[in-house]
Amino acid sequence: MKKVFMLCLLLVGMVATTTAQKYFVYDGDTFSIMFKCNTANTKVLDVQFSSKDKTTGEWKWNTFEIYDYHDFEDTSIGGFIFDVIDGVGNKYAVDYYRDLDVVYVHAIKKDGSYGTEWKLKLRK
């Protein structure tokens, strides 16, 4: 019986550590961005944005498709940029500044230049 109990405890512990994630939410005036990271906080696993459902009026999280990544950890300010696409094909650059702990989201125009910019701050 002890062996079965210990095996169950071990399995529960393994599942808990493999599925655990850290979430960091940055809020702006019109939407929020969420980074899902591994437990060691060394890798971003997912980038999501909030939107209001047109039929229910409720806010929900939507996953961006990440199509490019730029690492700026070796610069004086640190951080990264994820180039992403939303569910309807709009492209954005999600630009995280580590030293400032702020995110700038830039709409990417068809010619590749930046358009509208939103500043988002870490949710406490």
Side-chain angles (χ1 to χ4, degrees):
M1 187 67 168
K2 274 187 176 180
K3 288 181 182 180
V4 172
F5 178 73
M6 292 302 286
L7 181 60
C8 288
L9 251 155
L10 179 64
L11 288 173
V12 168
M14 287 174 50
V15 169
T17 57
T18 58
T19 60
Q21 297 175 346
K22 289 187 177 184
Y23 301 87
F24 299 93
V25 177
Y26 291 80
D27 296 315
D29 293 333
T30 56
F31 63 93
S32 299
I33 293 288
M34 177 171 44
F35 296 113
K36 289 184 180 181
C37 302
N38 63 354
T39 53
N41 198 25
T42 57
K43 182 178 181 184
V44 174
L45 305 172
D46 196 19
V47 180
Q48 297 185 359
F49 66 97
S50 65
S51 69
K52 198 173 207 178
D53 187 290
K54 292 179 182 176
T55 56
T56 65
E58 294 182 20
W59 287 90
K60 63 179 184 172
W61 288 105
N62 306 281
T63 300
F64 278 124
E65 175 189 334
I66 300 169
Y67 70 91
D68 205 359
Y69 171 77
H70 313 278
D71 185 359
F72 294 104
E73 289 301 334
D74 293 337
T75 66
S76 62
I77 213 158
F80 51 79
I81 298 175
F82 282 103
D83 292 325
V84 298
I85 301 174
D86 68 11
V88 294
N90 298 314
K91 294 182 176 182
Y92 301 93
V94 179
D95 192 356
Y96 171 70
Y97 289 83
R98 182 171 310 286
D99 286 359
L100 303 174
D101 205 12
V102 67
V103 170
Y104 287 95
V105 178
H106 309 273
I108 300 177
K109 298 178 184 179
K110 293 202 184 291
D111 66 2
S113 65
Y114 284 176
T116 305
E117 175 183 281
W118 298 271
K119 181 179 181 179
L120 294 83
K121 297 181 180 179
L122 180 64
R123 182 182 293 176
K124 300 294 178 193

